[in-house]
């Protein structure tokens, strides 16, 4: 009888403990933190040097790490490459001197004719490769398309529309067009074409790996344009808005042929060696005025610009 009672009490205690455990699990009861915490016993073999130690010679951390058995990952200082465009112009077109054909009887004319034949043969092979990736490419219609890209890119430059300019010029051409234009006002206008634009050169190079093709087409464009550049004070630095100028340019248009979403963009400009020098930019400076106090105002009618004092030079 006593044995049966003890067994009944043990079973009752087990059922009660199980019920309590289930109740705690259902109510998410959290026990207080333990009184004893485990101590970190792992030894640190490599301790980085302290920051701000002056006058003490610091040891090379790589040597200490190798002695402790830690291998440093090798770091490569490489220059990033943008594969959306090439880094330059491959086999640039050499315009004939004076943009005219010399007589083949002379030595210079014979050299010029030979160079034109060599360049035209290479251009025909490049045009075939371009047509394999761009079925709509034709030399007759591409020149007009290149002229439209040129006009839209310069209009976006005058309006400082960066998003549109990035879609019309390559990453190589963008800094060349925008460098030095900060705090300046540009007034550019395309008046008319003196001669219809035409394709004079084509190349299809590959970069990084074989088969990664880029199409570069050189277009000759002869037109009338106006250009005026003002500084941040509104003073004229270069050109004029009324004066028309005849401009002969050789534009390089590029496209990443392997990319199905690639598009033709302005890549650069070829300036021949016989081209005349550009007009110098008129540099403007700010003349310092009088030092005014916060409650004073400058009366422009009564203020005169100070003139430099005369200096006598002795030999």
């Amino acid at each position: 009888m006593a044995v049966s009672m003890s067994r009944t009490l043990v079973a009752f205690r087990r059922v009660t403990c199980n019920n309590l455990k289930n109740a705690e699990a259902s109510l998410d009861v959290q026990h207080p933190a333990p009184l004893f915490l485990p101590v970190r016993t792992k030894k640190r073999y490599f301790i980085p040097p302290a920051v701000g130690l002056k006058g003490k010679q610091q040891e090379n951390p790589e040597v200490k790490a190798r002695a402790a058995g830690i291998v440093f990952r090798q770091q490569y200082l490489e220059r990033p490459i943008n594969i959306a465009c090439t880094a330059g112009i491959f086999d640039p077109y050499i315009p004939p001197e004076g943009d005219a054909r010399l007589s083949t009887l002379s030595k210079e004319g014979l050299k010029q004719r030979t160079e034109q034949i060599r360049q035209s043969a290479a251009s025909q092979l490049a045009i075939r490769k371009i047509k394999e990736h761009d079925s709509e490419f034709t030399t007759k219609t591409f020149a007009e398309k290149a002229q439209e890209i040129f006009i839209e890119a310069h209009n976006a430059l005058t309006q400082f529309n960066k998003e549109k300019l990035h879609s019309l010029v390559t990453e190589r051409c963008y800094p060349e067009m925008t460098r030095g234009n900060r705090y300046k006002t540009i007034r550019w206008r395309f008046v008319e074409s003196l001669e219809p634009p035409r394709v004079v050169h084509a190349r299809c190079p590959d970069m990084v790996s074989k088969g990664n093709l880029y199409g570069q087409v050189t277009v000759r464009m002869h037109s009338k344009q106006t250009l005026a550049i003002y500084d941040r004070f509104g003073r004229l630095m270069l050109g004029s808005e009324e004066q028309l100028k005849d401009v002969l340019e050789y534009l390089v248009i590029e496209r990443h042929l392997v990319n199905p979403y690639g598009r033709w963009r302005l890549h650069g400009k070829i300036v021949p060696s016989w081209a005349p020098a550009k007009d110098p930019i008129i540099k403007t400076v700010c003349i310092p005025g009088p030092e005014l106090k916060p409650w004073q105002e400058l009366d422009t009618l009564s203020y005169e610009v100070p003139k430099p004092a005369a200096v006598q030079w002795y030999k």
Side-chain angles (χ1 to χ4, degrees):
M1 187 68 180
V3 175
S4 61
M5 288 293 292
S6 61
R7 290 179 179 177
T8 304
L9 290 173
V10 171
F12 178 75
R13 289 175 182 174
R14 290 178 180 175
V15 173
T16 306
C17 292
N18 293 334
N19 293 336
L20 291 174
K21 289 181 180 179
N22 294 334
E24 290 178 359
S26 61
L27 296 176
D28 295 331
V29 178
Q30 296 182 357
H31 293 281
L35 298 177
F36 301 98
L37 297 176
V39 181
R40 182 177 179 182
T41 58
K42 186 176 180 181
K43 186 178 179 181
R44 294 184 65 185
Y45 292 96
F46 173 68
I47 301 175
V51 180
L53 291 178
K54 296 182 179 180
K56 295 184 179 180
Q57 186 178 3
Q58 297 182 358
E59 299 181 2
N60 190 359
E62 293 188 6
V63 177
K64 296 182 66 176
R66 289 174 184 173
I70 301 174
V71 181
F72 266 62
R73 185 177 180 182
Q74 188 175 2
Q75 298 181 359
Y76 297 94
L77 300 177
E78 297 180 353
R79 185 179 180 182
I81 298 176
N82 189 356
I83 62 174
C85 70
T86 57
I89 301 174
F90 290 86
D91 193 9
Y93 174 69
I94 303 175
E97 187 173 355
D99 195 47
R101 181 176 296 179
L102 301 176
S103 175
T104 55
L105 300 178
S106 61
K107 184 178 180 181
E108 291 78 8
L110 185 61
K111 286 183 179 180
Q112 179 182 341
R113 187 61 180 166
T114 306
E115 184 68 20
Q116 286 180 353
I117 293 173
R118 186 188 68 82
Q119 290 184 354
S120 62
S123 297
Q124 292 298 327
L125 295 176
I127 290 172
R128 290 181 184 177
K129 285 186 179 180
I130 293 173
K131 287 184 177 180
E132 291 178 0
H133 296 82
D134 187 3
S135 59
E136 299 179 357
F137 178 84
T138 56
T139 55
K140 295 181 180 179
T141 60
F142 182 79
E144 297 290 340
K145 182 180 178 181
Q147 187 175 4
E148 293 176 1
I149 294 172
F150 172 79
I151 296 173
E152 291 181 5
H154 282 73
N155 288 333
L157 178 64
T158 57
Q159 299 170 4
F160 294 98
N161 191 346
K162 297 182 180 180
E163 291 76 12
K164 188 176 182 180
L165 189 61
H166 272 294
S167 63
L168 295 171
V169 301
T170 59
E171 286 74 13
R172 173 188 177 271
C173 184
Y174 181 83
E176 293 181 358
M177 292 184 65
T178 58
R179 186 182 296 115
N181 294 339
R182 194 176 183 183
Y183 305 125
K184 293 182 178 64
T185 304
I186 302 174
R187 295 285 184 264
W188 179 87
R189 184 165 56 94
F190 182 87
V191 182
E192 61 178 353
S193 293
L194 300 176
E195 297 180 34
R198 57 187 176 89
V199 177
V200 296
H201 193 71
R203 288 294 180 269
C204 190
D206 51 4
M207 192 177 70
V208 180
S209 61
K210 190 175 181 180
N212 189 26
L213 299 177
Y214 295 83
Q216 291 185 353
V217 181
T218 305
V219 179
R220 178 187 180 273
M221 194 175 70
H222 192 198
S223 60
K224 276 189 176 182
Q225 305 174 15
T226 61
L227 175 65
I229 301 177
Y230 300 90
D231 63 355
R232 59 179 178 173
F233 305 109
R235 301 167 185 168
L236 183 65
M237 298 180 64
L238 178 68
S240 173
E241 295 189 44
E242 290 79 16
Q243 184 180 2
L244 303 178
K245 282 197 173 184
D246 299 345
V247 183
L248 178 63
E249 296 173 312
Y250 295 90
L251 310 175
V252 180
I253 314 296
E254 185 185 83
R255 178 183 174 181
H256 193 194
L257 299 176
V258 182
N259 185 5
Y261 304 101
R263 54 189 303 177
W264 292 101
R265 297 184 294 174
L266 184 62
H267 186 62
K269 186 185 297 184
I270 296 175
V271 180
S273 58
W274 46 264
K278 295 182 179 180
D279 297 336
I281 296 178
I282 303 173
K283 295 184 179 180
T284 58
V285 295
C286 179
I287 300 176
E291 297 182 0
L292 299 178
K293 296 182 180 179
W295 59 87
Q296 294 178 344
E297 294 183 358
L298 176 63
D299 189 0
T300 56
L301 299 178
S302 62
Y303 177 72
E304 295 181 359
V305 179
K307 296 181 180 180
V311 180
Q312 180 67 35
W313 294 94
Y314 296 94
K315 294 184 180 179

